[in-house]
Amino acid sequence: MIKFLDIEQINNSYKAEFEEAFSRVLKSGWFILGNEVAAFEKKFANYCGVKHCLGVANGLDALILIMDAYKQMGVMSDGDEIIVPANTYIASILAISKNNLVPVLVEPKADTFNIDVTKIESKITSKTKAIMAVHLYGQTSEMQAINDIAKKYHLKVIEDSAQSHGAIYANEKRTGNLGDVAGFSFYPGKNLGALGDGGAITTNDDELAKVLSALRNYGSYEKYKNIYKSVNSRLDELQAAFLSIKLDKLDGDNEQRRLIAKRYLSEIKNENVELPFYSGKKDHVFHLFVVKVKNRSHFQQYLTDKKIQTVIHYPIPPHKQEAYAEWNNLSFPITEKIHDTVISLPISQVMKNDEVDYIIKAVNDYKL
């Protein structure tokens, strides 16, 4: 079986370094907000090209805390609206709801899967306070247009960078440095994945970073002195140490993913399989390689029979989820078609050429 993502093999390549890091953290006796977290925060901030990075417990918390901070700063209030893609993993939307803010869904482009910037302005009202740009599957959103709209209407731009570690927009800046603030996930399956949950927030806004540093730590700057009613959401020392090690190889890993994606794009030739859009630049890190097929279940079973593991990202759009029952009768036809037809092929930095060959042949041989 060709695994969808061989996390064991990915992490085995770091085994000696991980063991040394584990021993170092164990010996230090300090496991929360210590030197390892501080070192990783500095390293990741430099990598993204920003002034501040704050490690948090996971990607969802990163987004929740960002909007909580804006509320504490008076930038947002209960009932304010956030523009967000209708086609996204539900965490993007949950973070908005958890802050008593209103998600305003906008259809994506059918080819890039990302928000259609031409449809944003029609959704802006006097209550709109921000645009959340989700770099879905590892491909950057159209940030110049998004930032232009935000500037015109005095809105904040929040990046959901959970799937786009290392992507470079317009050959200039990395995700995490394309808006006012960004949230990252280090879930084990990400391009930069921890050995457990983890997340981070990046920003150039000094005041925002200061508020966030308290919000992730019980609303406190100083132990036992609590300024905000907040939560406990901190990246731990061990995960920070592991992430620092893996960050050194992230660009190389991303390039290897691009090479596999380029082979898929140039060598898969089957009219029953619609390939994703790719500009050919470094604005896509191919966290996922997502194709569209009409009879997805048939295609998935065909590949399973061929010993190729696939995953569906994602089978149910947010507005059709039970959690958002009040939206279930809404119609977002492009989003719904995407969720009905997408399926992700294996892609990772540890795939072998013969595995890629085999997958390409299997997809090309597929018939409805």
Side-chain angles (χ1 to χ4, degrees):
M1 174 69 76
I2 297 177
K3 293 182 180 180
F4 176 73
L5 181 67
D6 195 337
I7 293 178
E8 181 180 2
Q9 187 178 347
I10 289 171
N11 286 323
N12 273 345
S13 66
Y14 301 98
K15 186 176 180 181
E17 293 169 281
F18 284 167
E19 288 175 345
E20 188 281 327
F22 177 81
S23 178
R24 185 176 69 246
V25 172
L26 186 64
K27 186 177 180 180
S28 76
W30 194 298
F31 305 110
I32 302 293
L33 294 185
N35 292 333
E36 301 289 347
V37 170
F40 173 71
E41 289 175 336
K42 182 178 180 180
K43 190 172 184 177
F44 195 62
N46 290 338
Y47 178 79
C48 294
V50 297
K51 293 168 65 177
H52 305 284
C53 170
L54 298 101
V56 295
N58 55 68
L60 176 56
D61 277 6
L63 296 175
I64 290 173
L65 289 169
I66 285 167
M67 284 172 277
D68 186 10
Y70 276 136
K71 290 179 72 176
Q72 300 293 347
M73 294 164 64
V75 175
M76 299 176 185
S77 303
D78 286 0
D80 282 342
E81 297 171 352
I82 310 294
I83 301 287
V84 64
N87 179 53
T88 184
Y89 182 55
I90 198 169
S92 312
I93 294 168
L94 290 173
I96 299 169
S97 300
K98 278 295 182 182
N99 278 289
N100 293 318
L101 301 168
V102 179
V104 176
L105 307 184
V106 175
E107 284 270 56
K109 281 188 170 182
D111 57 350
T112 66
F113 304 110
N114 283 333
I115 194 167
D116 187 339
V117 295
T118 67
K119 297 178 179 177
I120 292 176
E121 284 194 83
S122 65
K123 297 294 186 78
I124 293 173
T125 72
S126 60
K127 299 285 285 181
T128 307
K129 291 297 186 293
I131 302 169
M132 183 180 290
V134 182
H135 309 303
L136 199 64
Y137 306 146
Q139 181 159 241
T140 58
S141 297
E142 296 176 63
M143 295 306 298
Q144 183 61 60
I146 289 171
N147 282 317
D148 287 346
I149 294 169
K151 185 176 180 180
K152 180 178 177 181
Y153 293 94
H154 307 289
L155 308 176
K156 296 296 184 182
V157 175
I158 301 168
E159 293 178 77
D160 182 341
S161 299
Q163 300 184 5
S164 65
H165 315 75
I168 301 173
Y169 178 72
N171 294 319
E172 292 182 1
K173 294 181 178 180
R174 296 187 192 274
T175 56
N177 188 23
L178 302 176
D180 293 287
V181 62
F184 285 88
S185 166
F186 301 127
Y187 182 78
K190 304 297 187 185
N191 291 32
L192 180 60
L195 274 67
D197 265 329
I201 300 167
T202 58
T203 186
N204 288 307
D205 186 326
D206 295 340
E207 182 185 0
L208 180 63
K210 183 179 179 182
V211 174
L212 285 164
S213 70
L215 290 178
R216 71 170 175 181
N217 188 36
Y218 299 100
S220 173
Y221 295 113
E222 184 180 346
K223 197 169 186 178
Y224 305 130
K225 293 185 178 180
N226 305 84
I227 300 169
Y228 307 108
K229 297 175 183 176
S230 193
V231 296
N232 168 25
S233 179
R234 302 172 300 206
L235 182 67
D236 70 71
E237 287 284 280
L238 193 57
Q239 298 305 333
F242 293 157
L243 288 165
S244 287
I245 292 166
K246 296 180 81 172
L247 181 56
D248 290 335
K249 294 186 178 180
L250 178 58
D251 285 344
D253 290 346
N254 286 343
E255 190 56 37
Q256 185 60 30
R257 287 171 174 268
R258 288 191 196 97
L259 291 174
I260 295 169
K262 287 175 181 177
R263 285 203 60 196
Y264 283 160
L265 290 164
S266 64
E267 298 177 39
I268 292 176
K269 300 181 187 300
N270 187 326
E271 62 182 10
N272 298 309
V273 180
E274 185 178 340
L275 300 172
F277 171 82
Y278 174 45
S279 70
K281 300 177 183 178
K282 293 187 177 182
D283 57 357
H284 202 325
V285 292
F286 287 99
H287 170 57
L288 301 171
F289 189 92
V290 181
V291 301
K292 289 187 279 189
V293 291
K294 290 181 181 177
N295 192 338
R296 181 171 62 195
S297 59
H298 182 265
F299 181 67
Q300 187 170 45
Q301 185 59 54
Y302 164 80
L303 291 179
T304 300
D305 293 342
K306 293 283 187 178
K307 307 299 183 186
I308 299 170
Q309 187 179 42
T310 57
V311 179
I312 297 169
H313 298 93
Y314 303 97
I316 305 171
H319 70 282
K320 295 297 183 183
Q321 295 282 359
E322 184 178 351
Y324 288 97
E326 66 274 22
W327 290 349
N328 287 176
N329 62 348
L330 298 180
S331 176
F332 292 94
I334 298 173
T335 296
E336 289 159 23
K337 184 176 181 181
I338 287 171
H339 284 258
D340 286 343
T341 59
V342 292
I343 185 167
S344 302
L345 301 180
I347 189 166
S348 79
Q349 61 269 33
V350 296
M351 284 181 66
K352 298 177 177 64
N353 284 330
D354 60 344
E355 292 177 321
V356 179
D357 293 338
Y358 182 78
I359 292 167
I360 290 169
K361 185 179 187 308
V363 174
N364 282 338
D365 289 344
Y366 172 70
K367 295 178 177 62
L368 281 173

